[in-house]
Amino acid sequence: MIKVFDTYIEKRYDTELLRIDAWGKDSFRVRSFADRKFTDENYALNKVSDSTSILQVVDQKENEITVKNGKLTVVIDHRDRITFYDENNKVLLQEFIRLRAVKHDDGAEDVGTIEITKDFNSTLKLKSREFKTNLGGGSFETTTRFESNPKEKIFGMGQYQHEFLNLKNTKLELAQRNSQMSIPFYISSLGYGFLWNNPGIGEVTFAKNITEWHMESTNVIDYWITTGDTLKDISKNYADVTGKVPLMPKKLLGLWQSKLRYRTPDEVLDVVKRYHEKGIQLSTIAIDYFHWPKQGEYRFDEDFWPEPEKLIKELKEDYNVDPIISIWPTVQSDADNYNDYLEGGYLINVNRGVRLTMLIQGTTVFLDTTNPEARDYVWDRIKKNYKDLGINYYWVDVAEPGYAVYDFDNYRYHSGQALETANLYPNGFLKMVYDGMKNENHEVVTLVRGAWAGAQKYGALGWSGDIDSSFEAFNNQVNTGLNVGMAGMPWWTTDIGGFHGGNPEDEEFRELMVRWFQYSTFSPILRMHGDRLPHSKPLSNSGGGSMPTGAPNEIWSFGKEAEKIMTKYLHIREALRDYIYDLMIEAHEDGIPLMRPLFYEFPEDDQTWEKDNIYMFGEDMLVAPIMNYKDRQREVYLPDGEKWVNIFTKNEYEGGQSYIIDAPIESIPVFIKKSSTDYFNDLLKIASDS
């Protein structure tokens, strides 16, 4: 039987409760509960106004119904299959079933006792929504199947370290790892957006013959689907139901300076002063990990950071630099306050073996960020020891969390078994900072390398994580960054030059730094960071002093030629500050990414759907990074319907064609629309000045 309510419909049949809600503009949410046990968890979704969720019944029969919400129509047919249509009655997405064409198929093979229907008959016995009870009976392994259109292109899903922009024919793990952010929202070339609204561990396969979402342990199948006239409409709809990113402060659009790691106030000030002497205004400088005595104490180690309030005041008042400080969710067993964590029940637990979740400078266990009381306890320490000293920005590192071994079945959170809720972890860490800072007189911006759907509303600035310092790793970042934006997280950045390794004296690495810096100039945040070689010896054998530091990582660390080029790009970045800020406003108001695949702005140009490793930075600027060692030119496709101007040469090009563009070490191919040249006069002057 199908029941109709004001904003949703319900169907109860056999052991399943199926509920479909109108959820935001042109959108539906679908939930399937095993054993008819309804639970009201919204996970990534915010509650929405009924004024944008208008359920209209188009047709209803005994076991079939057609309803619509704006431009999106959903049909439950007599086989219990769900199909979604746009306003032109085109199929957007349809569930996959391969069952026998009989009523009440119970698997019986006796043809004399079954009633045949006029449907496609299959003996594969594959349902669209499948629950299998796990050992112990407390949860289910689920599989959700959809028909696949081999010509469909899929974009989004977060950050995965591979080279692909189009995710069709890929298999993706639904889990957080260092350098991997699972944000399970995608936008389809067929004109819809899809959010898998389940924070458990699983995988999705976008194959040619089937799309399949598989969860290892859960009690619900939960997804949300939307449509719109344009791709931007889909992005807006997603932001409306999952939350909008804050407005990035304009002062943070310059250079973020960081390395592993500045060990004392003098090291921090020496770097800031040298930039100041060179006429370069930093946006921030990072005070990285192990500025603390023990993990979990959340305070400066006074042996090496004796007067932190004085340092912070000098940075802000004398140099207009807001420091950003690293806070980890690790807690050492010999921390002064370790017993507080035990008494409060604030730590992640394990299902077997010794409770040890990470090994770094001691035996550590992770804070349980899904526990509100744990978040409150830690924030009280952060407020007292950091915020009250004047620190406004935080770097929540290792927020996946970064397990020594990713045995998700072994971890247990306040929110439930890790297999069922693990992807909530980074969002809990982000929420802690957001709730603590949101009433301040500035927006919340938090650097993080883990994020799940909805993280953007907490001020998540995702970054690429601890990737390799190589051109090979660089080749993965451009498309990856575009997919993060398409997954609804507008703020994203990288470690320029990668994280692991890289010797500033090596010529190939110097070129990598230049090419990566050039690319990052045209990204949401321009950020220097990395663990450069060789390492220096620790300052001591105790507290924060026991951790070594990497080689220098400032713009003057890579030779005079590299410094000259990077300095010019800093001037280009400064000339773009107003333009980038306008893009930040657009991201804040509508959820539109700053970095966009070409097709996002030019969907009618079929060629743009085939181009990757090239992007629009806003609607007026096209960027084609140089990603390989010693490359001095690359092919660039310029979209149809516009004339384009190379900002370095001022040469003009007709759109709708590909060109071989020279790219000496001093420049990468960057173009603006000819119609916008008046706006970019300062940029053109700086870029074309040799």
Side-chain angles (χ1 to χ4, degrees):
M1 177 182 293
I2 300 175
K3 292 184 178 181
V4 179
F5 300 87
D6 287 344
T7 60
Y8 66 93
I9 60 174
E10 260 187 12
K11 181 176 181 179
R12 295 173 184 264
Y13 184 77
D14 198 11
T15 61
E16 183 191 38
L17 166 59
L18 178 65
R19 173 165 166 165
I20 302 179
D21 293 68
W23 201 285
K25 183 181 178 184
D26 305 326
S27 308
F28 282 103
R29 181 185 184 185
V30 177
R31 283 174 284 180
S32 172
F33 300 94
D35 295 339
R36 301 192 179 194
K37 294 180 180 178
F38 176 80
T39 56
D40 196 14
E41 292 282 354
N42 286 335
Y43 297 123
L45 293 171
N46 299 330
K47 292 183 178 180
V48 293
S49 169
D50 289 348
S51 64
T52 61
S53 307
I54 302 172
L55 185 75
Q56 178 185 348
V57 178
V58 178
D59 187 34
Q60 184 173 8
K61 300 174 184 176
E62 181 181 358
N63 290 311
E64 303 178 32
I65 192 168
T66 301
V67 295
K68 66 182 298 186
N69 177 18
K71 294 180 171 64
L72 187 61
T73 296
V74 58
V75 174
I76 303 176
D77 66 21
H78 67 280
R79 306 190 81 186
D80 207 30
R81 176 178 55 187
I82 302 172
T83 306
F84 300 93
Y85 298 85
D86 68 10
E87 61 181 341
N88 298 314
N89 208 36
K90 182 185 78 172
V91 173
L92 297 174
L93 186 65
Q94 183 177 63
E95 287 187 328
F96 176 105
I97 61 171
R98 294 296 185 270
L99 299 172
R100 295 187 307 160
V102 299
K103 282 189 175 182
H104 313 305
D105 186 7
D106 60 3
E109 300 294 340
D110 188 346
V111 296
T113 63
I114 59 176
E115 181 180 346
I116 298 174
T117 62
K118 293 181 178 180
D119 296 294
F120 178 76
N121 188 81
S122 173
T123 54
L124 294 175
K125 299 182 181 180
L126 294 174
K127 295 181 178 180
S128 54
R129 305 180 299 277
E130 185 175 87
F131 290 84
K132 293 182 179 179
T133 306
N134 284 323
L135 185 66
S139 66
F140 298 85
E141 177 186 0
T142 65
T143 304
T144 309
R145 302 180 175 98
F146 295 97
E147 299 285 355
S148 172
N149 181 335
K151 295 182 180 179
E152 181 181 22
K153 298 180 187 299
I154 290 171
F155 308 95
M157 293 298 297
Q159 175 174 286
Y160 291 88
Q161 294 302 325
H162 60 210
E163 63 189 84
F164 306 109
L165 177 60
N166 177 14
L167 300 175
K168 191 66 173 179
N169 304 320
T170 64
K171 180 179 180 180
L172 305 176
E173 182 187 39
L174 303 175
Q176 309 291 322
R177 294 175 183 255
N178 186 344
S179 77
Q180 175 176 297
M181 288 187 285
S182 176
I183 308 173
F185 173 69
Y186 71 83
I187 294 179
S188 166
S189 60
L190 300 180
Y192 70 91
F194 183 97
L195 168 67
W196 183 251
N197 190 39
N198 189 316
I201 301 298
E203 62 186 22
V204 59
T205 302
F206 296 113
K208 281 187 176 181
N209 60 322
I210 193 171
T211 295
E212 191 171 86
W213 298 81
H214 177 255
M215 305 302 293
E216 296 182 33
S217 181
T218 187
N219 287 290
V220 61
I221 292 168
D222 187 344
Y223 62 87
W224 174 87
I225 184 170
T226 190
T227 191
D229 292 333
T230 67
L231 300 180
K232 289 184 179 180
D233 288 339
I234 293 172
S235 295
K236 291 176 185 177
N237 290 349
Y238 176 78
D240 284 341
V241 300
T242 61
K244 295 175 180 177
V245 73
L247 179 59
M248 176 70 71
K250 199 172 186 179
K251 69 172 295 182
L252 294 184
L253 299 181
L255 178 63
W256 291 37
Q257 178 57 47
S258 183
K259 62 164 282 189
L260 186 150
R261 64 186 182 96
Y262 300 119
R263 300 170 293 180
T264 65
D266 286 344
E267 289 186 358
V268 171
L269 286 170
D270 286 348
V271 169
V272 172
K273 289 175 181 178
R274 188 163 177 184
Y275 273 111
H276 182 74
E277 291 166 359
K278 292 177 177 290
I280 296 170
Q281 175 62 61
L282 293 179
S283 284
T284 184
I285 189 165
I287 300 174
D288 202 352
Y289 71 167
F290 289 94
H291 62 270
W292 50 68
K294 299 288 184 181
Q295 297 163 78
E297 293 183 1
Y298 297 101
R299 63 186 178 93
F300 284 98
D301 186 335
E302 294 178 357
D303 289 343
F304 304 97
W305 302 83
E307 296 180 290
E309 189 170 13
K310 178 181 176 183
L311 167 67
I312 294 161
K313 183 178 180 181
E314 185 172 356
L315 288 172
K316 295 171 75 170
E317 294 184 1
D318 294 355
Y319 299 100
N320 195 27
V321 174
D322 247 310
I324 184 170
I325 195 156
S326 173
I327 51 176
W328 281 34
T330 45
V331 182
Q332 283 180 236
S333 59
D334 58 347
D336 287 347
N337 57 330
Y338 185 68
N339 198 57
D340 292 352
Y341 290 95
L342 296 177
E343 287 187 349
Y346 299 154
L347 300 174
I348 283 176
N349 217 323
V350 295
N351 293 322
R352 57 187 180 273
V354 177
R355 182 158 63 173
L356 172 66
T357 53
M358 189 177 186
L359 277 172
I360 181 168
Q361 295 292 97
T363 301
T364 65
V365 183
F366 281 112
L367 171 74
D368 187 348
T369 67
T370 72
N371 183 341
E373 293 181 359
R375 296 197 299 262
D376 289 344
Y377 171 78
V378 169
W379 182 254
D380 284 345
R381 299 187 70 86
I382 291 171
K383 180 180 184 301
K384 175 184 176 181
N385 297 320
Y386 298 134
K387 179 177 178 292
D388 289 351
L389 301 184
I391 291 178
N392 296 323
Y393 300 109
Y394 297 88
W395 172 7
V396 292
D397 206 349
V398 196
E400 304 81 37
Y403 289 117
V405 181
Y406 288 105
D407 287 340
F408 295 111
D409 64 320
N410 193 34
Y411 303 118
R412 187 168 73 251
Y413 301 170
H414 175 82
S415 58
Q417 295 290 334
L419 285 178
E420 299 176 17
T421 65
N423 283 299
L424 295 176
Y425 190 94
N427 286 23
F429 208 179
L430 289 160
K431 178 175 169 55
M432 178 191 73
V433 176
Y434 182 81
D435 287 346
M437 296 296 296
K438 66 184 178 183
N439 294 323
E440 299 299 309
N441 59 357
H442 64 82
E443 296 287 2
V444 181
V445 180
T446 303
L447 185 64
V448 66
R449 74 182 192 200
W452 191 64
Q456 73 281 351
K457 65 174 170 280
Y458 300 126
L461 166 59
W463 101 92
S464 49
D466 294 349
I467 56 176
D468 190 45
S469 292
S470 64
F471 279 100
E472 181 180 358
F474 188 24
N475 269 266
N476 294 336
Q477 302 315 307
V478 179
N479 286 339
T480 291
L482 294 175
N483 273 325
V484 171
M486 294 296 283
M489 200 161 88
W491 297 352
W492 183 80
T493 185
T494 65
D495 293 348
I496 293 173
F499 176 78
H500 277 297
N503 189 321
E505 300 301 319
D506 180 80
E507 286 302 318
E508 181 173 345
F509 182 67
R510 287 182 170 187
E511 181 165 326
L512 176 67
M513 286 296 301
V514 167
R515 290 309 198 187
W516 209 312
F517 196 99
Q518 291 168 331
Y519 155 68
S520 297
T521 299
F522 306 96
S523 71
I525 293 295
L526 177 65
R527 176 173 173 268
M528 296 284 281
H529 186 64
D531 181 16
R532 304 295 166 240
L533 299 175
H535 289 154
S536 299
K537 292 182 178 180
L539 294 176
S540 76
N541 59 3
S542 66
S546 61
M547 178 61 69
T549 182
N553 192 52
E554 296 73 40
I555 65 168
W556 53 80
S557 306
F558 310 98
K560 292 187 179 299
E561 181 184 29
E563 181 182 359
K564 180 180 179 181
I565 295 169
M566 290 180 186
T567 300
K568 178 173 181 175
Y569 274 77
L570 285 171
H571 294 319
I572 289 173
R573 180 79 179 187
E574 186 59 37
L576 286 172
R577 189 181 291 259
D578 289 343
Y579 177 72
I580 298 171
Y581 188 65
D582 287 343
L583 299 183
M584 290 293 185
I585 293 173
E586 191 176 18
H588 168 62
E589 293 179 348
D590 295 323
I592 307 299
L594 284 76
M595 301 166 70
R596 310 162 186 177
L598 298 189
F599 61 78
Y600 196 83
E601 290 292 339
F602 299 92
E604 302 304 319
D605 184 344
D606 292 342
Q607 286 293 314
T608 63
W609 293 88
E610 306 299 327
K611 305 302 179 184
D612 63 1
N613 289 316
I614 185 172
Y615 62 97
M616 298 296 297
F617 191 45
E619 64 179 26
D620 293 315
M621 180 172 289
L622 182 149
V623 182
I626 300 298
M627 300 183 297
N628 296 302
Y629 185 42
K630 293 187 176 180
D631 276 4
R632 295 297 182 264
Q633 62 180 23
R634 71 164 283 180
E635 183 178 290
V636 178
Y637 178 77
L638 299 176
D640 198 13
E642 297 285 346
K643 290 186 176 181
W644 299 88
V645 178
N646 185 318
I647 68 168
F648 294 101
T649 66
K650 295 187 179 180
N651 293 338
E652 296 183 11
Y653 300 82
E654 291 287 341
Q657 300 179 53
S658 292
Y659 301 88
I660 301 298
I661 304 298
D662 288 338
I665 190 62
E666 296 82 11
S667 68
I668 61 173
V670 179
F671 297 82
I672 58 173
K673 294 176 181 176
K674 185 178 180 182
S675 57
S676 65
T677 51
D678 288 345
Y679 180 88
F680 291 111
N681 275 334
D682 289 345
L683 170 67
L684 290 170
K685 184 177 185 302
I686 293 168
S688 60
D689 186 359
S690 59

